[in-house]
Amino acid sequence: MGFLRRVSKKVIPFWMGQKLRGAYQKSLGLYYRGNQYYCPFCGYSFSKMLEDGFDLPVIIEKEIIGSGRRENCTCPRCFSKDRDRLIYLYLENKTQVFFEPNKILHIAPEAWLKEMFRKLPNIDYTCGVKEVEGMGYYYDRMTRELDITNLEMKDNLYDIVICNHVLEHIYDDDIAMSEIYRVLKPGGWAILQVPISPIIEESIEDQDVISKKGREKHFGQFDHVRIYGQDYFKRLQKVGFETQRLHPVKDNWNIANLKKYALNNKEELFIATKPL
Ligand SMILES: [Zn+2]
């Protein structure tokens, strides 16, 4: 945990830290209000979304989708990102998640997605992350400690698992994939987004690269342990998943005024299904 976070968590009570965070987000949302873009999580419209990410050389060289600097990426009001809004649009337009009973496990939960699931009476919702204590005011008290490579849940429990930009942080991603597969019911499915290079076949990983600078140089972020290539889907299939790559335009999701959601046009949605 960073020094400032550590000190502020000692000085500022948890509830006050969350309130301060909320007040900051509200004022940003007001500043950027407008009609150009719309966030389906918080329901507000904005003149622009916030920029996010850094263009490190390896991100540009490998054309990594889901990393790097993106304009109009982050909602000024709730901080949802382009990739989260893609998930929302998929759930809303291509599934019955908002209506049918579903048991959901959400790993390293995005706050806005978590709030949405918690409010849905048809959803039985669990979320968790490793080292929850180290995350400042980002996670609330319902987020439990979970190790994705050693889940405590029994087999065949969940209808849906959501694990958005997590696997690129995990050395033993094959074990994490197997664990997600194990806790899903047959017929259940997972959204497993990762940053990915469309131009490399084999993922790049090297467990000797452990420094922050080294990981930035080789993997595009200080806490990533690989760059996924097109073998990502083979890795998922190896543990038993059937995989799909979906795109709102190419797969014709028929969403009116898609541009207002400020998606990353190159980003696909990765769905991994445990066969019946
Ligand atoms: Zn928002």
Side-chain angles (χ1 to χ4, degrees):
M1 192 180 349
F3 176 73
L4 269 178
R5 273 186 185 168
R6 224 166 31 231
V7 171
S8 66
K9 275 200 94 172
K10 283 213 160 62
V11 177
I12 303 171
F14 184 82
W15 65 268
M16 197 190 288
Q18 286 224 312
K19 283 229 179 306
L20 286 171
R21 193 172 192 273
Y24 171 64
Q25 290 180 222
K26 266 184 200 161
S27 55
L28 260 187
L30 275 173
Y31 183 77
Y32 285 102
R33 68 181 174 237
N35 295 311
Q36 192 72 15
Y37 298 107
Y38 173 73
C39 172
F41 288 103
C42 61
Y44 288 90
S45 295
F46 306 99
S47 58
K48 61 177 284 192
M49 302 282 194
L50 306 177
E51 264 180 42
D52 201 7
F54 301 97
D55 267 344
L56 293 167
V58 70
I59 294 174
I60 296 166
E61 185 196 323
K62 305 294 186 211
E63 301 178 19
I64 301 174
I65 299 167
S67 284
R69 197 182 74 82
R70 279 106 68 216
E71 287 183 358
N72 295 309
C73 170
T74 301
C75 168
R77 179 70 170 74
C78 74
F79 292 179
S80 77
K81 296 192 182 206
D82 44 9
R83 62 198 189 208
D84 311 317
R85 296 189 293 276
L86 176 65
I87 290 177
Y88 181 95
L89 292 175
Y90 174 74
L91 295 177
E92 184 183 46
N93 291 280
K94 305 303 285 181
T95 76
Q96 292 298 312
V97 166
F98 293 155
F99 311 105
E100 291 179 350
N102 276 297
K103 200 168 169 61
I104 295 183
L105 174 64
H106 189 183
I107 294 162
E110 295 81 7
W112 36 96
L113 207 46
K114 177 170 66 179
E115 280 312 300
M116 185 189 84
F117 286 132
R118 281 169 73 171
K119 287 177 186 158
L120 288 171
N122 55 309
I123 299 295
D124 177 351
Y125 180 74
T126 303
C127 65
V129 68
K130 199 169 185 188
E131 295 172 7
V132 64
E133 276 300 308
M135 299 292 186
Y137 300 106
Y138 186 78
Y139 293 115
D140 66 10
R141 296 291 160 95
M142 82 169 290
T143 307
R144 59 205 266 187
E145 183 84 24
L146 272 188
D147 178 358
I148 192 179
T149 60
N150 186 20
L151 292 173
E152 63 204 59
M153 292 82 175
K154 62 180 187 178
D155 300 357
N156 307 318
L157 193 58
Y158 292 99
D159 300 289
I160 300 166
V161 172
I162 295 183
C163 183
N164 194 13
H165 284 245
V166 174
L167 292 169
E168 69 274 19
H169 298 265
I170 312 288
Y171 275 127
D172 299 317
D173 66 335
D174 53 338
I175 298 176
M177 289 170 184
S178 298
E179 280 292 87
I180 293 169
Y181 185 89
R182 180 181 68 74
V183 300
L184 275 170
K185 293 175 186 170
W189 47 272
I191 295 178
L192 301 178
Q193 298 305 98
V194 293
I196 190 164
S197 167
I199 60 166
I200 58 170
E201 195 51 43
E202 286 212 8
S203 300
I204 299 170
E205 50 196 337
D206 181 349
Q207 295 205 6
D208 290 334
V209 178
I210 52 169
S211 71
K212 289 184 178 181
K213 280 251 175 288
R215 286 173 172 175
E216 272 187 2
K217 184 178 169 200
H218 293 281
F219 311 132
Q221 190 169 306
F222 73 92
D223 55 354
H224 286 183
V225 301
R226 74 179 61 76
I227 295 174
Y228 279 111
Q230 296 302 299
D231 62 344
Y232 176 56
F233 308 97
K234 283 188 204 133
R235 291 178 181 224
L236 290 167
Q237 289 154 11
K238 205 170 166 188
V239 304
F241 281 119
E242 290 170 354
T243 58
Q244 283 176 286
R245 307 169 64 161
L246 304 174
H247 187 276
V249 176
K250 287 178 200 155
D251 294 304
N252 211 5
W253 292 4
N254 283 327
I255 295 165
N257 200 1
L258 187 64
K259 275 191 180 164
K260 74 178 177 184
Y261 297 101
L263 302 183
N264 177 350
N265 292 332
K266 291 181 182 164
E267 186 163 21
E268 296 175 314
L269 197 75
F270 305 142
I271 306 289
T273 303
K274 181 169 176 172
L276 280 169

